[in-house]
Amino acid sequence: MTLWTTTVGPLGDLLLVGEKDNDRVTLTSLSMPGQKNAPAVRSDWAFDPDSFASVSRQLAAYFSGQLKEFRVDFTSGGTPSQQRVWQFLDEIPYGTSTTYGAIAAELGIPRGQVQALGAAVGANPLLLVRPCHRVIGADGTMRGYAAGVERKIFLLTHEGALQPTLI
């Protein structure tokens, strides 16, 4: 059974989607308003905020600066190559960033396949919880982010990986 709820955050209402199996719920998607390829709530899904209470509390703690690592049960599907990239994303520490090239080198992905690596990063269904926002271009530029580059900049600044811009 698919469950869903929303939780309020500084980047808008976050949509949490999960699967219930017996008494266990695993997160399958965390998305933001306007995000590319974000799921839309379906009529056969059950609204169940209580099942996501722990995730919602962790997100609130993250945004208030009190949490640096999520402890969430999740199921994310994906192809074997996507899962390999996503496992790497799970290990990028809070407050840091890495590059697509560094990931490719670490995973032994040939230079000609870096674009596929970028597609795998972009297909991550668990924004924030699996920190794809911590991947930047080799020249330090903010490459694509499914929820928008401005949100990526917000998250990296929030974590201290980028210095705030003074205007």
Side-chain angles (χ1 to χ4, degrees):
M1 169 186 276
T2 302
L3 308 176
W4 72 278
T5 193
T6 58
T7 189
V8 177
L11 299 173
D13 289 345
L14 305 176
L15 174 62
L16 308 176
V17 180
E19 289 296 324
K20 184 172 186 173
D21 184 22
N22 296 322
D23 290 333
R24 182 173 181 246
V25 175
T26 58
L27 188 67
T28 58
S29 175
L30 191 162
S31 59
M32 298 180 199
Q35 174 184 325
K36 291 181 210 169
N37 301 315
V41 175
R42 296 179 17 183
S43 62
D44 60 334
W45 292 0
F47 179 70
D48 188 356
D50 292 343
S51 290
F52 299 98
S54 173
V55 179
S56 295
R57 279 192 303 274
Q58 288 181 61
L59 288 164
Y62 167 82
F63 284 120
S64 70
Q66 299 172 356
L67 182 79
K68 295 182 179 182
E69 187 175 323
F70 292 97
R71 302 267 184 224
V72 176
D73 290 331
F74 57 83
T75 304
S76 60
T79 66
S81 63
Q82 286 174 326
Q83 290 175 5
R84 186 170 173 235
V85 171
W86 295 344
Q87 286 173 348
F88 188 90
L89 296 179
D90 290 336
E91 302 303 318
I92 303 171
Y94 179 98
T96 68
S97 62
T98 191
T99 66
Y100 295 94
I103 295 172
E106 186 69 30
L107 296 178
I109 296 172
R111 184 170 178 79
Q113 294 180 8
V114 172
Q115 201 168 29
L117 180 148
V121 171
N124 171 24
L126 298 167
L127 297 191
L128 300 173
V129 174
R130 177 179 290 131
C132 57
H133 61 277
R134 296 179 187 153
V135 183
I136 62 174
D139 59 359
T141 56
M142 299 299 115
R143 302 292 178 183
Y145 184 58
V149 171
E150 65 286 344
R151 288 179 171 144
K152 182 176 195 164
I153 292 169
F154 174 90
L155 293 168
L156 290 171
T157 303
H158 169 72
E159 294 182 1
L162 283 178
Q163 293 302 309
T165 304
L166 299 176
I167 297 177

